[in-house]
Amino acid sequence: MSIDIPRRTVDELITLYTVEPEVRDIYTEGRSDKNFLQAHVIDFTNNPLCTAYAVSDRVDIPDGVLIQAGIMVGARGRIQWLAEQLAARIPNHDSVKLIADRDFASVGADDSSDIHGLIYTDYSSMEAYALNESTISKLLGAALGVPQHVSAGKVLVAIKSTLVALFLIRLCLRESKTGVRIPPKTLTKWDVDKHSKDSVIAAFRASLQTLSADERNGVTLESLVTRYEMYEEKVGGDVRNFSNGHDISLAIILYLKTHCGHVFNSDVRRPFQSPKVFEVLLMSCIERRVLLKEPLFKELTTWASCRID
């Protein structure tokens, strides 16, 4: 999919924000986040100078620039690098807000530096804003028509341990620097009702088995489990701080398939068995009144509405 937006260099952006300080631009990691903020922030500002962009669609930031700066390559790294550049070259600017997922910062594994203009999601990901009874109730009732005995409260309680486990497994695999990921088959067979450490060990074992011995860089099943247990000690409180965004839809699907799988039998709802498709449905069930209670959305709404006359 091509986006008809001219990509700018950071020098061009510096010039733009210096000459036209009334501009209000929001940069996000990806297009889904961009569309989400467009719907819940920008569309309510009545400010024609406020625009949202996925950072890679708008700004030309080569991977080499990130590597040279010691920043992890990816959308989050691009957001961080751009924030640093703007803060250094136009101090105290008010033209840009850069939104990054908090990711693994809750267990001290990702940077959450205080950089002017950079705002982190209140929880680990944008999708985590859906983890509340209001949103899940709307999803279950209006969108899926599940039986009444499958309540939002039950779903949230049931998927908590799965979300935390997958969050920590993904972190440990990332830090192994092997490039390996949890095999899709392991994810689709995850049992949300019988989660245990055995499930974690099985996931690590299946992940390692996708690599040859010389591709593992000395990483073993035991070393992965040890690191998992180290991070597990740092988990506590709100599950939204320990949930990988894309795992949320997966966990809900797994629960529903176990407890009321018939909801996916119709031709209309069958596509929702795909986590990517389900995620679109889930995020559309979040109501703005719920979001406006969150610090990120309070700050963005106030800032985006300000106009220089």
Side-chain angles (χ1 to χ4, degrees):
M1 176 180 178
S2 61
I3 300 295
D4 189 20
I5 300 173
R7 296 178 79 210
R8 306 284 189 177
T9 65
V10 68
D11 289 336
E12 289 173 329
L13 291 179
I14 298 297
T15 300
L16 170 65
Y17 300 136
T18 301
V19 174
E20 300 184 41
E22 68 276 11
V23 168
R24 293 288 181 270
D25 283 345
I26 297 175
Y27 291 95
T28 67
E29 293 187 32
R31 293 171 189 164
S32 294
D33 289 351
K34 173 258 181 187
N35 294 337
F36 190 68
L37 293 178
Q38 176 75 42
H40 292 287
V41 177
I42 294 177
D43 287 351
F44 289 87
T45 64
N46 193 32
N47 184 352
L49 297 176
C50 189
T51 310
Y53 302 98
V55 64
S56 294
D57 288 336
R58 178 61 166 166
V59 194
D60 183 18
I61 308 174
D63 288 352
V65 170
L66 301 180
I67 294 171
Q68 186 176 11
I71 297 175
M72 186 178 297
V73 173
R76 191 179 193 271
R78 284 177 167 77
I79 289 285
Q80 181 182 343
W81 182 86
L82 182 58
E84 291 175 348
Q85 294 298 309
L86 296 178
R89 298 177 62 179
I90 42 175
N92 301 316
H93 68 83
D94 205 27
S95 298
V96 179
K97 295 295 182 184
L98 302 106
I99 316 303
D101 283 347
R102 197 168 290 276
D103 284 349
F104 300 108
S106 59
V107 290
D110 271 323
D111 185 23
S112 57
S113 300
D114 184 10
I115 304 171
H116 181 75
L118 176 60
I119 311 175
Y120 294 95
T121 51
D122 298 297
Y123 311 109
S124 58
S125 65
M126 195 70 74
E127 293 81 5
Y129 288 105
L131 284 173
N132 57 75
E133 289 205 24
S134 173
T135 299
I136 303 302
S137 291
K138 185 176 180 181
L139 170 78
L140 299 177
L144 296 175
V146 304
Q148 290 187 351
H149 72 271
V150 181
S151 68
K154 287 181 179 179
V155 172
L156 289 169
V157 170
I159 67 175
K160 180 177 179 178
S161 60
T162 291
L163 291 176
V164 173
L166 293 178
F167 179 82
L168 297 181
I169 290 170
R170 292 188 187 281
L171 172 57
C172 294
L173 291 178
R174 188 189 78 175
E175 292 194 341
S176 74
K177 297 183 179 179
T178 59
V180 71
R181 298 186 178 185
I182 308 172
K185 188 175 182 180
T186 299
L187 291 173
T188 57
K189 291 189 173 183
W190 189 280
D191 191 336
V192 294
D193 290 324
K194 296 181 181 178
H195 167 73
S196 67
K197 188 60 68 66
D198 289 340
S199 301
V200 173
I201 293 171
F204 280 138
R205 181 180 291 112
S207 300
L208 285 177
Q209 287 174 347
T210 65
L211 300 173
S212 62
D214 59 352
E215 291 176 316
R216 297 181 185 180
N217 299 330
V219 176
T220 65
L221 177 61
E222 291 73 20
S223 66
L224 288 172
V225 172
T226 297
R227 183 166 289 273
Y228 179 97
E229 292 173 344
M230 177 192 74
Y231 280 124
E232 191 176 30
E233 294 180 357
K234 299 181 180 182
V235 174
D238 198 327
V239 69
R240 291 176 290 185
N241 293 317
F242 310 97
S243 301
N244 177 279
H246 300 311
D247 288 333
I248 295 170
S249 290
L250 170 68
I252 297 174
I253 290 170
L254 292 174
Y255 179 87
L256 293 178
K257 281 188 172 183
T258 299
H259 296 275
C260 52
H262 66 275
V263 301
F264 297 116
N265 288 344
S266 71
D267 291 339
V268 173
R269 296 194 179 103
R270 193 168 294 116
F272 295 146
Q273 295 178 89
S274 164
K276 289 184 178 180
V277 177
F278 194 93
E279 187 172 290
V280 175
L281 179 66
L282 173 65
M283 296 303 284
S284 69
C285 289
I286 302 177
E287 297 180 359
R288 189 166 184 265
R289 64 177 179 81
V290 174
L291 292 174
L292 289 179
K293 298 177 182 179
E294 305 288 359
L296 170 67
F297 287 86
K298 288 180 181 179
E299 180 175 348
L300 284 179
T301 299
T302 300
W303 167 83
S305 301
C306 292
R307 301 175 61 176
I308 300 176
D309 298 322

